[in-house]
Amino acid sequence: MKLLPLITIFSLPGCLFALTAPTPLSMIDCVRIALENNSQLNIAQKRLELAQKDQFGSYSYILPTLDVTVNASTFESRGAFLDPNGLPTIGTSSGEAYNNGVNVGQNIYDGGFWWNSIRKARSDKVAQEFGYDLQRQNTIVTVQQAYLNLLKAEKLLEVYDESVKRSEEQLQRSESLFQLGSVAKVDVFQRRVNLGNDRINYLTQENVVRQSVITLNIAMGRNPQEELAIKSEEESIGSIGDINDLVDEAVKNNPELKQQEQLYKSSKFQSKIAKS
């Protein structure tokens, strides 16, 4: 009997926590979270930072070099020497030696190695910029698709819920009419079958909603099992426009195509570096 109050105390916070619903997120909120947490986007950002540092380091090929050397040594030898009086004597001689030097160099011509190295580093940096833009766009598109799929799944769940309620009402009505003798028992059986099918559809759609939540959490870089709620809002798509104009615009601004162009330039510069 003494354990009952303790169990109540410790279980109460958990119950309160379970009753706390997550704050509904809009599509913009989900995209913002994804841009902050998406691991692939963070990797693309680090690659861009490395490419920027490599570009800065490529200028070292044309900068002058300065080498400073400082050497110090001691020596000691034993043998026959002349003393101050000019008489031969055997003894030990020791001393120190110092050697200092400064060497300044400037690269004048190396077959185009330094120039093509700088141009290659610049192309690599631009390619990584387009790569980052591509990953950012892919992240946004993935989150938007996952968001809309979850929204669709929740709307379908509402439809199946209404179907279950309607089937329950029809079953109750058929049972009442059967008791009055107005319908045959087969009609009651048919209503029960319809109610069972609607419940199965509802439970199946519940699993679809849970899977859609997991997919959206992963796209946002969050724990797949984290609770998630979205706003039941309708996104305005607007006019799509002419398909040919859309294709031309995509070819013109597609970051993946621009990235491949820069990688092609980088390969040409690499060939020139090898020839130098």
Side-chain angles (χ1 to χ4, degrees):
M1 296 298 293
K2 295 181 179 180
L3 294 177
L4 183 58
L6 294 176
I7 295 175
T8 304
I9 292 174
F10 284 105
S11 63
L12 182 59
C15 295
L16 293 176
F17 177 78
L19 295 175
T20 303
T23 303
L25 301 176
S26 65
M27 180 183 292
I28 296 178
D29 296 331
C30 294
V31 170
R32 175 182 53 79
I33 295 173
L35 294 180
E36 294 175 355
N37 300 332
N38 187 273
S39 59
Q40 295 299 323
L41 188 62
N42 292 333
I43 292 175
Q45 176 64 34
K46 296 299 181 182
R47 289 176 177 173
L48 176 58
E49 293 175 359
L50 290 176
Q52 292 172 344
K53 294 179 180 179
D54 290 339
Q55 183 191 15
F56 181 77
S58 65
Y59 291 104
S60 63
Y61 294 115
I62 61 173
L63 295 177
T65 60
L66 176 64
D67 296 330
V68 179
T69 58
V70 178
N71 296 322
S73 62
T74 60
F75 64 89
E76 181 176 347
S77 61
R78 183 176 180 81
F81 301 95
L82 296 177
D83 61 12
N85 297 325
L87 300 176
T89 182
I90 297 177
T92 300
S93 174
S94 61
E96 297 178 351
Y98 298 94
N99 182 19
N100 302 327
V102 176
N103 182 25
V104 179
Q106 172 64 56
N107 188 4
I108 302 300
Y109 179 74
D110 57 4
F113 177 87
W114 66 270
W115 174 245
N116 290 303
S117 296
I118 293 175
R119 297 172 68 186
K120 180 182 182 301
R122 185 184 299 117
S123 295
D124 290 340
K125 190 261 293 185
V126 175
Q128 289 302 329
E129 289 177 348
F130 288 127
Y132 175 81
D133 293 339
L134 174 62
Q135 186 59 50
R136 189 175 186 276
Q137 289 185 6
N138 290 339
T139 300
I140 294 174
V141 171
T142 301
V143 172
Q144 290 176 339
Q145 290 177 343
Y147 182 94
L148 294 177
N149 287 336
L150 176 57
L151 185 60
K152 180 181 69 174
E154 290 181 346
K155 294 297 183 181
L156 286 176
L157 185 64
E158 294 176 2
V159 173
Y160 288 130
D161 182 54
E162 293 296 329
S163 298
V164 170
K165 293 178 181 179
R166 183 180 65 253
S167 296
E168 289 176 345
E169 294 174 355
Q170 291 176 350
L171 176 60
Q172 293 176 358
R173 181 173 179 273
S174 297
E175 289 177 343
S176 299
L177 293 176
F178 173 73
Q179 293 176 359
L180 296 175
S182 299
V183 297
K185 193 172 184 60
V186 66
D187 186 71
V188 177
F189 291 152
Q190 183 63 41
R191 297 302 180 185
R192 289 178 180 175
V193 171
N194 293 339
L195 176 59
N197 292 332
D198 289 337
R199 285 176 175 174
I200 292 175
N201 292 334
Y202 179 83
L203 294 176
T204 302
Q205 191 62 27
E206 273 190 332
N207 292 329
V208 174
V209 172
R210 282 193 289 267
Q211 184 60 43
S212 299
V213 170
I214 293 174
T215 302
L216 181 55
N217 273 329
I218 293 175
M220 291 190 295
R222 306 201 311 177
N223 186 339
Q225 303 301 328
E226 187 172 349
E227 295 186 10
L228 174 64
I230 61 174
K231 296 180 179 179
S232 298
E233 57 186 10
E234 296 183 1
E235 299 291 335
S236 177
I237 299 177
S239 178
I240 297 179
D242 183 70
I243 186 64
N244 295 325
D245 295 337
L246 294 177
V247 172
D248 293 339
E249 189 71 16
V251 173
K252 178 181 178 181
N253 299 324
N254 188 281
E256 185 173 8
L257 294 177
K258 293 184 177 181
Q259 182 188 29
Q260 294 301 320
E261 290 176 357
Q262 293 298 324
L263 292 176
Y264 174 72
K265 291 181 180 180
S266 177
S267 299
K268 293 179 65 176
F269 292 141
Q270 182 63 46
S271 177
K272 293 180 179 180
I273 290 173
K275 292 179 181 179
S276 67

